[in-house]
Amino acid sequence: MATRWWESAVFYQIYPRSFADADGDGVGDLQGIIDRLEYLAWLGVDAIWLSPIFTSPMADFGYDVADYCDIDPVFGSLADFEALLDAAHRRGIRVTIDWVPNHTSDQHPWFIDARSSRNAAKRDWYVWRDATSEGNLPNNWEAAWNTGPAWTLDDSTGQYYLHLFLPEQPDLNWANPEVEAAMLDTLRFWLDRGVDGFRADVINLIGKGPELPNLAAAGSPIVDIDEPRVHEHLRAIRRTLDSYPQAPMMVGEIVLYDPGQVRAYYGNDDELQLGFNFRPTDTHWTAAGFRERIDEVHRELGTDHWPVWVLGNHDRRRQRSRFGNEARTRAAAVVLLASRGTPYLYAGEELGLPDAEVPPHRVVDPGGRDGCRAPIPWISTAGHGWGPEPWLPFVDDAAELSVETQRETSGSMLDFYRELLALRRASPALRRGSSRLLDSPEGVVAWRRYSEGQDLVVAVNFTESPVATGLVGNRLISSCQGTDPHFDGTLSADEATIVQTG
Ligand code: NOJ
């Protein structure tokens, strides 16, 4: 049986435009990633996920794909990708890539054909509708980010096409079997080259049926589309993955916020291997909030469905900005890496980057997400390892937060992440063990991680005062600096600690 390597791996999300710039044009690239594999190996992550690198006009920075089987020149070439895959594998790092199945770019040859005439060969590969008999839009759906209706009229053929995101991102019609077949071929293209898996963009949306009913009140249907037919597509995808020797995986971006709904996307271990649960990405720093996050995952996913933990990504506010101070952000690292499940760590979180302040004239994202996409500051001196003017501004305090400065500073956020990742890697209880919430005083969440031979307790103080927990043991790690290895039961303000009890 293939190993379920994705269950014990820590995934590191790279937003390629913002990660590392080897050619000095101000936009990150594949060679930049190759050059930083040493850093990732040193940090101690097991796998990377690259946000989109395929050919794209960049209306949504790669989430508008014009060719699923080539690399956009801004990032490099197919040969660069093969070099990256090879170099990562030599370091024992697996490589997963973003796959955007719900929509293409309006510049994709499929859409160019589809809009050429009502009788075009690929007309039905997209979702076309007439205006209603009163001349209104086909339904009341709105596109993402308050950008207006989800329908754009194609003047030359006189019909509307559906786009749940930008007009430059027309939705594919997965109800047409040719679309499924063509999209499975795009997976094979990368699997044949040896990739280890995929992150599937807004995967729940490919299940929409032909009815496209009005919403009770006009708005975006994105968080509502959860239809049975998606599971047939997911099973076809899984069969494709399972036919490859490298045991490839797929994690789904499921834009449903109830972990009970996310559970269905694992199927009977014949659909997705992993599904993102996004609630923790907008949970405030409170014990009640995080206790419920952990509890609902235990309750809804049980022991048969392996959870994913994520606290930030290229669409969300950075943890440092969300939680408000460094102590909490350090403690949150423990929540991410010591909860039962697969952690996804967004590049820059290990540095404790805040969101960048982006002045109006530098705003580039139609979805208002530029702040969390600021370039990674590699070195402390001006330019921070980037070309003259990176595509987005750096965060404030980029010099102090840079990789270079933090690698040299014992006790830095980066140092702490590295220590925590090493502890996790060496600990069967943290990687694979069971998890049970414990009774704990107000303001504290504590849970037990257990595997044969190792019994740990993770305890997090969400308050600004010390709290006595009644637990004692050997402290394996603390988010606060200078703590005593013997844990006497008292957590400092905003402290997270992992204690060996058995
Ligand atoms: C979700 C992605 O994470 C986001 O960045 C993108 O804009 C939308 N899907 C549309 O593809």
Side-chain angles (χ1 to χ4, degrees):
M1 197 194 87
T3 61
R4 300 176 71 82
W5 59 268
W6 52 86
E7 291 187 347
S8 54
V10 175
F11 284 74
Y12 183 88
Q13 181 195 353
I14 291 178
Y15 194 71
R17 296 182 72 85
S18 304
F19 190 64
D21 178 18
D23 64 7
D25 67 353
V27 177
D29 44 49
L30 297 183
Q31 185 58 48
I33 301 172
I34 295 173
D35 295 345
R36 301 296 171 178
L37 287 171
E38 175 276 330
Y39 167 73
L40 297 178
W42 170 85
L43 179 61
V45 298
D46 305 292
I48 54 178
W49 149 32
L50 306 180
S51 277
I53 49 175
F54 304 158
T55 314
S56 167
M58 304 286 168
D60 188 12
F61 299 111
Y63 286 97
D64 48 323
V65 176
D67 183 350
Y68 288 95
C69 300
D70 207 351
I71 303 291
D72 193 276
V74 78
F75 299 125
S77 63
L78 211 44
D80 294 327
F81 180 76
E82 284 171 355
L84 165 58
L85 195 57
D86 187 48
H89 283 168
R90 273 188 278 115
R91 290 189 182 270
I93 296 175
R94 288 190 163 92
V95 177
T96 66
I97 58 178
D98 220 307
W99 182 61
V100 187
N102 177 66
H103 42 267
T104 68
S105 161
D106 64 344
Q107 301 305 310
H108 195 293
W110 299 342
F111 190 69
I112 292 174
D113 176 78
R115 79 186 315 175
S116 66
S117 106
R118 288 199 186 200
N119 303 319
K122 295 194 168 54
R123 181 73 171 179
D124 184 51
W125 283 36
Y126 292 84
V127 182
W128 297 95
R129 292 290 184 276
D130 294 322
T132 64
S133 48
E134 298 86 47
N136 295 325
L137 294 170
N139 70 16
N140 66 357
W141 291 6
E142 287 172 7
W145 314 308
N146 300 318
T147 46
W151 298 96
T152 289
L153 182 65
D154 177 57
D155 287 325
S156 64
T157 59
Q159 281 189 308
Y160 288 91
Y161 66 87
L162 177 70
H163 53 87
L164 294 177
F165 295 89
L166 301 174
E168 293 88 345
Q169 295 168 291
D171 278 46
L172 283 163
N173 174 24
W174 275 73
N176 181 331
E178 291 174 7
V179 169
E180 183 186 277
M183 290 303 290
L184 294 181
D185 279 345
T186 68
L187 292 178
R188 289 188 192 100
F189 179 88
W190 296 103
L191 290 166
D192 287 341
R193 276 160 185 76
V195 304
D196 299 291
F198 303 89
R199 174 266 191 187
D201 192 61
V202 289
I203 191 78
N204 55 306
L205 303 185
I206 68 172
K208 54 191 167 297
E211 305 81 15
L212 312 181
N214 270 324
L215 296 171
S220 167
I222 289 171
V223 296
D224 296 323
I225 294 177
D226 180 24
E227 299 206 21
R229 67 169 70 210
V230 73
H231 301 290
E232 290 166 34
H233 301 311
L234 292 177
R235 285 190 286 272
I237 290 168
R238 180 63 178 270
R239 284 193 296 274
T240 306
L241 297 176
D242 284 350
S243 67
Y244 281 80
Q246 67 266 43
M249 56 77 70
M250 184 176 279
V251 60
E253 185 198 26
I254 302 157
V255 207
L256 305 167
Y257 289 86
D258 174 356
Q261 285 177 291
V262 169
R263 180 184 58 224
Y265 286 73
Y266 291 78
N268 188 16
D269 195 17
D270 56 356
E271 299 186 27
L272 296 174
Q273 285 97 339
L274 295 175
F276 281 114
N277 161 31
F278 285 119
R279 279 207 183 134
T281 64
D282 49 24
T283 297
H284 295 299
W285 188 251
T286 66
F290 275 93
R291 170 174 277 272
E292 176 54 17
R293 294 294 80 87
I294 294 172
D295 196 31
E296 71 191 351
V297 164
H298 290 171
R299 220 171 44 228
E300 300 294 349
L301 297 187
T303 50
D304 291 344
H305 305 92
W306 189 254
V308 173
W309 284 91
V310 58
L311 295 177
N313 64 26
H314 65 294
D315 294 329
R316 315 275 161 160
R317 295 187 68 203
R318 288 271 188 197
Q319 292 175 61
R320 177 70 178 76
S321 298
R322 198 149 61 87
F323 296 141
N325 69 33
E326 187 185 324
R328 293 174 182 176
T329 315
R330 291 169 78 103
V334 176
V335 176
L336 178 73
L337 292 167
S339 295
R340 177 179 174 272
T342 298
Y344 271 77
L345 170 62
Y346 177 44
E349 293 294 346
E350 78 278 21
L351 303 173
L353 298 187
D355 288 330
E357 297 293 333
V358 181
H361 71 279
R362 301 233 20 211
V363 167
V364 289
D365 176 43
R369 300 161 295 180
D370 293 324
C372 63
R373 298 175 178 180
I376 302 294
W378 290 100
I379 56 176
S380 57
T381 45
H384 305 303
W386 287 74
E389 170 126 85
W391 74 293
L392 283 172
F394 290 103
V395 299
D396 290 346
D397 303 326
E400 294 81 78
L401 294 170
S402 69
V403 172
E404 180 184 50
T405 304
Q406 295 204 43
R407 266 180 99 148
E408 288 164 1
T409 311
S410 145
S412 65
M413 175 78 89
L414 178 59
D415 201 35
F416 176 59
Y417 256 99
R418 184 167 180 249
E419 191 186 340
L420 190 53
L421 284 160
L423 174 65
R424 186 181 197 281
R425 185 172 275 187
S427 160
L430 290 180
R431 279 188 289 118
R432 309 294 294 234
S434 63
S435 174
R436 188 165 60 81
L437 275 165
L438 303 175
D439 289 338
S440 44
E442 175 121 8
V444 170
V445 182
W447 61 99
R448 179 181 181 208
R449 297 299 313 276
Y450 174 81
S451 71
E452 213 166 304
Q454 203 180 29
D455 206 348
L456 305 181
V457 172
V458 186
V460 186
N461 179 4
F462 288 82
T463 75
E464 288 173 341
S465 321
V467 179
T469 62
L471 291 162
V472 281
N474 254 344
R475 222 190 215 117
L476 300 183
I477 197 165
S478 165
S479 62
C480 294
Q481 294 176 55
T483 48
D484 196 295
H486 172 73
F487 181 59
D488 66 4
T490 299
L491 288 168
S492 306
D494 290 321
E495 179 183 358
T497 196
I498 303 178
V499 180
Q500 176 116 33
T501 53

